[in-house]
Amino acid sequence: MRDNSSASGSGREALQLDVAALRADTPGCRQVIHFNNAGCGLLAAPVLDAMVGHLHLEARIGGYEASAARAAEVREFYTEIATLINTTPDNIAFAGSATHAYANALSSIPFEADDVILTTRDDFVSNQIAFLSLRKRFGVRIVHAPDTPEGGVDVEAMAALMRTHRPRLVSATHVPTNSGLVSPVAEIGRHCRELDLLYLVDACQSVGQFVIDVEEIGCDLLTATCRKFLRGPRGSGFLYVSDRVLRAGYEPLFIDMHGARWTEPGGYEPVGTAARFEEWEFPYATVLGSAAATRYARKIGIEAIERRTPALAARLRDRLEPIPGVRLLDRGPRLAALVTFGVEGRQPEPFKAALDARGINSALSYREFAQFDFGNKGVEWCLRLSPHYYNTEEEVDHVADVVADLAGQGRR
């Protein structure tokens, strides 16, 4: 089903990136060292052109008229995302954010008191808060699978909990926002399919960084943003909905005229595709920008990105590890391009501000973002650095040198 012929080529040549050309395509590279791709990737010129061009068209001929004129290009969003994750356009819904997509997915599940949500201790903070909200409103139970000693969920223990509790929903985050862990979502998915359990995956930090195949993962629902490693605009994301979920009649709690037809005064009929999870109003320039970003990533080749981006992060960890006062926090058998660490004797905001002053973009994570993970690690905050394929090895080394200098100031 997957077609990579136009996305990544073949053989050794497909894995060689022209980093200089990619940086020339990225205006932000001339302004900053951007190591905050896990927050928001830098826009490439084709993405910016697609968005600005549509806004100019709206200004010239009107918003409705512009969307009608660009209808074919808008449909390419669904084709591009579907090809990226190995599904069909009918299984993709646009969303204003990954959190919006996740909330819509949750709202489609008819939870009842004592239903179990089985998740991990490395789930995204907003997902955990949503589960707690469901517990408050409907009386669901939240069960967390234990971790292995090396870090990351114990899949066999999670499978045992599946058999014991028969959860209404199984949920996992592929790459948590607060660490470099890569969770074994496909292994979890195999157990879910064996037991016929509903499975929701948060792929916010992995789409655009790794090859994502929803058939291999075995998920029923998958959410992601376009703004991070896919390098799309803010205010964009998507929801994947499996054929099984569509056939079963799942629909969001607040479905509207885009997602359903009002067939009679007392009834409606949801559309047959994932469009039932969308609303009528769209930010069309953002949709076009997201399509352009996905097309751009596929042209580069996700396999090549998957090889380069985590390798830059590994180089950064190697450079940070021997620095006195710096404690690397990433754990697990496989790590992504999110590098997290604490710094002895430094406070979070001033440390980040010092990096900002050196032209280095970064992000902070706090205990409240990762109660289980940071509780186990005994930390209240960490700094997160997240390079991407357009960053250079020289930038990695420079950032590590700056961290060493700033950490030394704190010790002094």
Side-chain angles (χ1 to χ4, degrees):
M1 190 173 182
R2 177 179 291 279
D3 176 11
N4 284 324
S5 59
S6 64
S8 58
S10 61
R12 182 180 177 86
E13 293 180 1
L15 298 177
Q16 304 304 312
L17 299 185
D18 187 343
V19 176
L22 295 170
R23 290 175 66 80
D25 258 354
T26 307
C29 287
R30 296 188 285 273
Q31 304 294 321
V32 295
I33 297 176
H34 189 69
F35 274 34
N36 191 19
N37 293 282
C40 197
L42 291 178
L43 296 182
V47 179
L48 185 61
D49 291 344
M51 298 179 69
V52 172
H54 187 74
L55 290 176
H56 281 303
L57 184 63
E58 285 190 350
R60 291 199 306 272
I61 68 172
Y64 284 22
E65 293 75 13
S67 64
R70 293 280 173 80
E73 290 92 333
V74 169
R75 286 195 296 272
E76 289 180 13
F77 167 80
Y78 301 92
T79 303
E80 290 293 339
I81 294 291
T83 306
L84 182 73
I85 66 171
N86 190 26
T87 186
T88 72
D90 283 349
N91 296 100
I92 300 298
F94 175 82
S97 69
T99 298
H100 180 204
Y102 201 92
N104 257 3
L106 286 180
S107 80
S108 73
I109 303 169
F111 288 108
E112 297 179 357
D114 291 326
D115 279 348
V116 169
I117 297 174
L118 176 61
T119 184
T120 72
R121 296 169 62 87
D122 298 294
D123 203 13
F124 180 53
V125 51
S126 292
N127 304 346
Q128 291 290 307
I129 291 173
F131 298 157
L132 292 170
S133 177
L134 288 168
R135 185 175 71 180
K136 181 190 295 186
R137 179 161 298 192
F138 297 112
V140 305
R141 293 187 292 139
I142 307 167
V143 176
H144 294 88
D147 286 340
T148 64
E150 66 206 2
V153 66
D154 184 328
V155 177
E156 292 307 314
M158 193 173 192
L161 290 170
M162 292 181 198
R163 292 188 289 271
T164 300
H165 293 286
R166 301 297 303 186
R168 187 68 182 84
L169 176 70
V170 177
S171 174
T173 294
H174 196 184
V175 177
T177 190
N178 52 277
S179 78
L181 173 73
V182 181
S183 296
V185 289
E187 294 179 39
I188 297 169
R190 283 194 288 275
H191 291 289
C192 288
R193 279 183 289 190
E194 289 171 3
L195 298 170
D196 195 28
L197 298 174
L198 191 68
Y199 183 31
L200 168 59
V201 172
D202 178 335
C204 226
Q205 297 288 5
S206 53
V207 166
Q209 178 179 181
F210 296 122
V211 174
I212 303 296
D213 186 330
V214 292
E215 294 296 327
E216 180 183 350
I217 292 172
C219 54
D220 297 288
L221 300 153
L222 180 140
T223 62
T225 185
C226 298
R227 78 172 192 269
K228 297 180 184 287
F229 289 95
L230 199 54
R231 300 180 63 193
R234 298 197 69 176
S236 62
F238 66 88
L239 169 66
Y240 158 76
V241 187
S242 70
D243 289 333
R244 183 173 87 134
V245 166
L246 292 172
R247 287 194 301 267
Y250 287 81
E251 61 186 58
L253 181 59
F254 297 109
I255 196 167
D256 83 346
M257 59 185 276
H258 180 79
R261 293 177 57 246
W262 193 16
T263 53
E264 56 183 333
Y268 69 90
E269 180 181 333
V271 299
T273 69
R276 71 179 65 164
F277 288 87
E278 297 177 333
E279 290 86 35
W280 182 84
E281 177 58 17
F282 275 77
Y284 283 96
T286 300
V287 174
L288 292 168
S290 300
T294 310
R295 189 161 46 245
Y296 190 84
R298 292 185 58 243
K299 182 178 179 181
I300 294 169
I302 298 299
E303 292 86 351
I305 295 170
E306 183 177 280
R307 184 168 110 166
R308 176 170 174 79
T309 296
L312 289 172
R315 181 187 181 102
L316 180 59
R317 289 189 190 92
D318 288 344
R319 291 295 308 272
L320 293 175
E321 197 276 332
I323 298 174
V326 169
R327 177 192 172 195
L328 289 173
L329 300 173
D330 304 324
R331 299 175 60 230
R334 184 186 181 195
L335 298 178
L338 289 76
V339 179
T340 61
F341 59 94
V343 184
E344 180 184 338
R346 297 301 302 262
Q347 293 300 308
E349 289 83 2
F351 192 86
K352 182 184 182 305
L355 286 173
D356 292 343
R358 306 273 189 109
I360 299 169
N361 290 350
S362 63
L364 293 168
S365 283
Y366 297 94
R367 178 71 167 264
E368 67 183 83
F369 297 174
Q371 289 286 357
F372 294 116
D373 185 44
F374 279 16
N376 290 342
K377 294 171 180 174
V379 296
E380 295 300 320
W381 69 277
C382 77
L383 192 94
R384 186 186 69 195
L385 297 172
S386 47
H388 207 356
Y389 58 80
Y390 56 80
N391 292 118
T392 66
E393 287 77 4
E394 291 76 18
E395 285 180 323
V396 168
D397 295 344
H398 174 70
V399 168
D401 288 343
V402 170
V403 170
D405 180 48
L406 295 176
Q409 293 178 23
R411 290 172 65 82
R412 289 193 293 272

